[in-house]
Amino acid sequence: MLSLRPPCTLSPAPWRRRRTLHGAAGTPQRVSAAAPSAIVEAVSPPARLSFPILVNGCTGKMGLSVAEAVTSSGLHLVPISFSSRDTLDRTVRVGHTDVRIYGPSAREDVLSSVIDEFPDVVVVDYTAPDSVNANAELYCKLGLPFVMGTTGGDRQLLYKSVQDSNNYALISPQMGKQVLESHQAGKLDISGTAKAVIACFEKLGVSYDMNRMVKIRDPEQQLEMVGVPEEHIEGHAFHLYHLTSPDDSVSFEFQHNVCGRSIYAEGSVDAAMFLHRKVRSNDSKRIYDMIDVLREGSMR
C-alpha cells in the first residue's frame, strides 16, 4: 500500500520562481495537495520515474483517461485539478484517489501550493482550446514543466510564452503512439492531427485550403458514412486525406483511424516521463514534441 505522497521530497527545481501565498488579509495561505485518507494500490516504478503528475482537465473524458493512465503506470497522481467554472465544487474519483476540482480563480494559489509540496511535479493539460494560452502563461509564470495535449488556441503565442520564460514544455497535437477527421461530437476544434499532417503535405508542395476540410461530428453520419464502431462513437479519431493531381488522372488516399482514448492517454504519460527526465538533467533544450520522445525511444 502506498501513500499518495511520493516516496521522497526532492529539492525545488532551480529554474522555478518561488512565491509566497497571501490571502485577502495578507496572511499566508496553504492549500494541501495531499489526501491522507486516500491510498493507491500500485507497484512503484523505478525510483528515477517516481514523480508526481497533475492532470489539468479531469472533468473531461480525455483528462480523466490520462489520470487513470497515470495511476495504472504506478506514478503519483496529484489529487488536484481545475475547471473552467468557479461554481463547480466537486471531486472526481480516479482509482483509489479523490481528485479535488478547483475553479479558475483559485488556479495560481493552488498551483503554488502544489509546487511547495511537490517540487518536481509535471502538469499534463487536457482542458479546452480557449484555455490553452492562459494556462500556458500561468505554468510558465510559476516555472511548471507541462505537457500540452490540448489542441487549439494561439499556437504561436503558446511557443512564445515558453521561449520567453525559458520553461520546459512538450507540445504536440497528437499524443498517440501509433499515429505520427471524424471526431466525437464533443470535440470543439479542428483536429490538431489533421492540421499537422496537412502542414507536412504543404511542405511537399501540396496546396490546400483549410476551409475545405470536412468535419463530421454527427453520430449517424459517423456510423453510416465513416464506419466508426458504435461503441466508440463517444471517443474516436478517424482521418482520411485525399490527394488528386491537377488533371484528375492520379489520386492518393491516406487514412489513420483510432478507436478510444487509451493510446493518447498512455502517450501523454510517456511524454510526461520524457519531460521529467529532461528537467532533472537540466537539458539545454526547453521545448519538445512527440517526435523527440520517439527519437529517444521513450515510448513504453
Side-chain angles (χ1 to χ4, degrees):
M1 309 293 279
L2 301 177
S3 166
L4 263 180
R5 290 192 56 80
C8 62
T9 300
L10 301 178
S11 59
W15 65 91
R16 286 216 170 95
R17 302 169 189 160
R18 307 310 298 273
R19 61 192 296 276
T20 303
L21 299 184
H22 293 283
T27 56
Q29 291 184 334
R30 182 178 182 80
V31 181
S32 176
S37 61
I39 53 176
V40 176
E41 294 183 344
V43 178
S44 294
R48 64 187 177 90
L49 293 181
S50 184
F51 68 100
I53 295 178
L54 187 154
V55 180
N56 189 4
C58 283
T59 56
K61 293 179 180 178
M62 190 63 238
L64 184 59
S65 295
V66 174
E68 291 170 345
V70 170
T71 59
S72 65
S73 297
L75 295 170
H76 175 69
L77 177 66
V78 176
I80 281 174
S81 191
F82 300 93
S83 167
S84 60
R85 292 180 293 161
D86 270 317
T87 56
L88 188 66
D89 183 15
R90 58 176 288 198
T91 59
V92 174
R93 190 75 167 174
V94 181
H96 297 284
T97 303
D98 287 321
V99 178
R100 174 73 186 277
I101 309 298
Y102 289 89
S105 63
R107 289 184 311 157
E108 186 165 349
D109 282 353
V110 173
L111 281 174
S112 296
S113 286
V114 169
I115 293 173
D116 288 336
E117 194 159 356
F118 306 107
D120 57 338
V121 66
V122 173
V123 175
V124 177
D125 189 295
Y126 276 99
T127 52
D130 58 2
S131 299
V132 166
N133 295 109
N135 287 347
E137 288 283 353
L138 182 56
Y139 302 149
C140 291
K141 177 181 178 181
L142 298 177
L144 273 171
F146 67 93
V147 174
M148 182 58 73
T150 311
T151 56
D154 185 329
R155 306 308 275 192
Q156 288 187 336
L157 179 59
L158 172 60
Y159 282 97
K160 185 177 185 302
S161 297
V162 180
Q163 290 168 346
D164 290 348
S165 66
N166 205 31
N167 193 28
Y168 283 94
L170 191 151
I171 303 169
S172 178
Q174 168 57 259
M175 295 291 178
K177 303 178 185 182
Q178 291 84 352
V179 180
L180 210 152
E181 157 54 334
S182 160
H183 274 279
Q184 62 275 6
K187 183 166 178 59
L188 301 178
D189 59 329
I190 295 175
S191 166
T193 303
K195 288 181 178 178
V197 172
I198 289 171
C200 291
F201 288 152
E202 289 176 332
K203 289 180 181 178
L204 295 174
V206 176
S207 177
Y208 184 78
D209 180 1
M210 197 68 72
N211 293 322
R212 294 177 56 200
M213 183 184 297
V214 178
K215 296 188 296 180
I216 301 177
R217 299 293 187 263
D218 180 76
E220 289 188 8
Q221 290 183 333
Q222 291 170 347
L223 284 169
E224 297 171 6
M225 293 175 54
V226 183
V228 178
E230 186 172 2
E231 64 270 25
H232 293 296
I233 284 294
E234 293 300 317
H236 68 274
F238 279 37
H239 301 79
L240 175 64
Y241 311 90
H242 187 92
L243 305 178
T244 305
S245 64
D247 62 358
D248 293 328
S249 63
V250 181
S251 64
F252 297 89
E253 283 191 346
F254 303 85
Q255 182 172 337
H256 53 88
N257 300 337
V258 177
C259 293
R261 298 180 173 87
S262 61
I263 70 163
Y264 303 120
E266 293 168 5
S268 298
V269 173
D270 289 333
M273 290 179 174
F274 169 89
L275 190 62
H276 172 71
R277 284 192 287 266
K278 294 302 180 182
V279 170
R280 298 310 302 173
S281 66
N282 200 26
D283 192 60
S284 59
K285 183 175 178 179
R286 298 300 172 109
I287 303 178
Y288 307 89
D289 57 26
M290 289 302 284
I291 300 299
D292 294 310
V293 181
L294 288 167
R295 282 174 178 161
E296 196 161 293
S298 297
M299 308 299 279
R300 290 172 295 124

